[in-house]
């Protein structure tokens, strides 16, 4: 594969899909993803006022993390208003939804937990490692969408935020009492995440009283509200 050859394909895909946030295409048997800046409308223009700046930060994060050996997608091409990465498998939330095999689900979750622990051990943070932003392929974990990363220069706090987002996502997609969650969290700790876990536990300790307020919503709240009770409980009982 030569760069001019794939760049010609990228240019055509970009021209045919102007303004489309994410689009996939194939070249010589490989899947690639082209991403463009978010186009904001209405109130979102005020809430997220710098989409181009965020987009360039994502490109910079991909370059920097790849140079340091972090598990990020291969950046194939980029410009002011687009970038292309090689496919890294399906997002974990989609794999879990498609699988009927509990053992396969457990392995995917353990791989994702190990991947996050290793990312943290290497001194990195993702910013928003929800299951939809973690890809799995043949046992390999790749993190995508680093837009939220590097907003806080305190790496320990960034990693705690990562862990809380990850746990919230587990409960969001798997349910409050799912038997696969505990093994995944235990594996994160076993694979090098214990220090981050303890720090998160310490930071959440003053907020454990919120569990009483959230208790009525632990089963019947919205998808974002229900997990909050269980996240607090996860740190209270360990």
């Amino acid at each position: 594969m030569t760069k001019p050859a794939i760049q010609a394909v990228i240019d055509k895909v970009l021209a045919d899909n102007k303004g489309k946030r994410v689009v996939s295409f194939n070249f010589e048997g490989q899947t690639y993803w082209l991403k463009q800046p978010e186009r904001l409308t209405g109130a979102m223009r005020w809430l997220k006022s710098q989409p181009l700046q965020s987009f360039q930060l994502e490109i910079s994060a991909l370059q920097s993390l790849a140079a340091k050996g972090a598990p990020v997608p291969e950046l194939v091409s980029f410009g002011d208003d687009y970038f292309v990465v090689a496919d890294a498998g399906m997002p974990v939330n989609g794999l879990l939804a498609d699988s009927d095999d509990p053992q396969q689900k457990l392995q995917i979750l353990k791989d994702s937990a190990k991947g996050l622990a290793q990312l943290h051990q290497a001194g990195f943070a993702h910013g928003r490692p929800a299951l939809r932003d973690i890809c799995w392929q043949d046992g390999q974990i790749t993190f995508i969408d680093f837009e939220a990363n590097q907003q806080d220069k305190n790496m320990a706090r960034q990693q705690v935020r990562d862990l809380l987002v990850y746990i919230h996502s587990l409960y969001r997609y798997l349910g409050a009492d799912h038997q696969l969650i505990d093994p995944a969290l235990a594996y994160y700790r076993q694979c090098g995440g214990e220090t981050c876990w303890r720090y998160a536990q310490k930071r959440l300790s003053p907020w454990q009283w919120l569990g009483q307020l959230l208790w009525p919503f632990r089963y019947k709240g919205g998808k974002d509200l229900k997990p909050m009770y269980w996240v607090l409980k996860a740190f209270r009982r360990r």
Side-chain angles (χ1 to χ4, degrees):
M1 179 178 72
T2 62
K3 186 173 181 180
I6 191 172
Q7 189 61 52
V9 175
I10 291 170
D11 291 344
K12 185 177 188 309
V13 172
L14 187 60
D16 292 344
N17 295 274
K18 278 293 184 183
K20 191 169 182 179
R21 178 65 164 158
V22 179
V23 62
S24 66
F25 65 94
N26 293 295
F27 180 73
E28 295 187 350
Q30 170 71 44
T31 300
Y32 297 90
W33 294 88
L34 182 146
K35 187 173 182 179
Q36 299 179 72
E38 198 169 6
R39 289 196 171 185
L40 305 176
T41 59
M44 292 305 294
R45 291 183 178 179
W46 298 96
L47 296 174
K48 299 174 70 174
S49 59
Q50 296 180 312
L52 285 174
Q53 181 178 351
S54 296
F55 192 75
Q56 289 300 317
L57 283 173
E58 185 174 3
I59 293 173
S60 296
L62 284 171
Q63 292 174 310
S64 175
L65 291 166
K68 296 174 182 177
V72 296
E74 177 191 359
L75 183 63
V76 176
S77 177
F78 64 92
D80 293 337
D81 58 353
Y82 82 94
F83 69 80
V84 175
V85 294
D87 183 70
M90 281 188 63
V92 168
N93 64 312
L95 289 168
L96 296 177
D98 291 344
S99 176
D100 295 321
D101 183 349
Q103 288 304 312
Q104 183 186 45
K105 289 183 176 183
L106 178 59
Q107 187 59 57
I108 292 171
L109 285 173
K110 290 178 73 174
D111 287 340
S112 73
K114 180 180 179 180
L116 184 61
Q118 291 178 335
L119 188 76
H120 289 167
Q121 274 194 306
F124 304 128
H126 178 277
R128 192 193 62 194
L131 298 187
R132 65 179 179 272
D133 295 317
I134 306 174
C135 293
W136 183 94
Q137 189 173 55
D138 299 327
Q140 296 297 313
I141 290 295
T142 303
F143 293 90
I144 61 174
D145 198 348
F146 281 79
E147 286 180 83
N149 195 38
Q150 310 304 328
Q151 297 302 309
D152 183 349
K153 294 186 181 300
N154 185 308
M155 184 55 65
R157 284 202 295 260
Q158 284 195 65
Q159 292 175 350
V160 165
R161 183 172 64 237
D162 274 3
L163 180 57
L164 297 181
V165 170
Y166 176 72
I167 297 173
H168 183 280
S169 187
L170 288 175
Y171 284 109
R172 187 181 192 277
Y173 287 108
L174 296 174
D177 295 321
H178 203 287
Q179 62 183 352
L180 299 181
I181 293 179
D182 284 351
L185 298 183
Y187 205 58
Y188 169 84
R189 299 173 70 177
Q190 292 170 18
C191 292
E194 184 67 19
T195 298
C196 184
W197 181 278
R198 293 296 181 186
Y199 185 40
Q201 192 172 46
K202 180 180 179 180
R203 290 183 64 85
L204 285 180
S205 180
W207 301 97
Q208 285 294 345
W209 61 271
L210 284 172
Q212 297 180 0
L213 298 179
L214 294 170
W215 187 80
F217 306 102
R218 68 196 188 283
Y219 292 118
K220 59 183 179 182
K223 288 183 178 180
D224 291 324
L225 180 60
K226 282 188 294 186
M228 293 176 64
Y229 170 84
W230 299 102
V231 170
L232 284 170
K233 186 174 180 180
F235 287 97
R236 187 169 68 245
R237 68 192 182 193
R238 291 173 170 84

